[in-house]
Amino acid sequence: MISSLRFIVDDSVSITYPTLYRSIVRALEYVTLTQFELSFSVNKVCPYMHKPQLTHWKAIKRILRYLADTATHGLCL
């Protein structure tokens, strides 16, 4: 995620299923315990759980795509 990205809350486009957004964000918070590189991105979308909008949903989808693409990557110890 771009570090200079700013999310705002306005009355433009809210998502249809805010409970789905909240459950995905909570699951991503749990994932950050093992994948530290996601902490910044997940913490950027957490404050908007009360009224998620389309831009927040797009950020969540981007994080999920990153997880899907890096599922086979890991550290060999």
Side-chain angles (χ1 to χ4, degrees), residues 37-74:
E37 72 273 10
L38 292 176
S39 297
F40 178 79
S41 300
V42 173
N43 286 331
K44 282 285 252 194
V45 296
C46 281
Y48 305 102
M49 290 175 64
H50 66 285
K51 188 178 178 187
Q53 295 178 342
L54 189 58
T55 56
H56 308 131
W57 180 249
K58 287 180 182 179
I60 290 294
K61 288 194 325 187
R62 186 177 180 118
I63 295 169
L64 292 174
R65 273 189 236 114
Y66 173 81
L67 279 174
D69 291 342
T70 60
T72 58
H73 294 70

Side-chain angles (χ1 to χ4, degrees), residues 19-39:
T19 54
L20 177 64
Y21 177 88
R22 291 181 189 114
S23 66
I24 291 173
V25 170
R26 287 186 191 115
L28 286 173
E29 286 177 333
Y30 182 72
V31 170
T32 60
L33 295 174
T34 58
Q35 296 195 353
F36 305 114
E37 72 273 10
L38 292 176
S39 297

Side-chain angles (χ1 to χ4, degrees), residues 6-29:
R6 303 276 185 230
F7 289 125
I8 58 170
V9 176
D10 58 1
D11 293 330
S12 60
V13 180
S14 295
I15 62 172
T16 309
Y17 300 107
T19 54
L20 177 64
Y21 177 88
R22 291 181 189 114
S23 66
I24 291 173
V25 170
R26 287 186 191 115
L28 286 173
E29 286 177 333

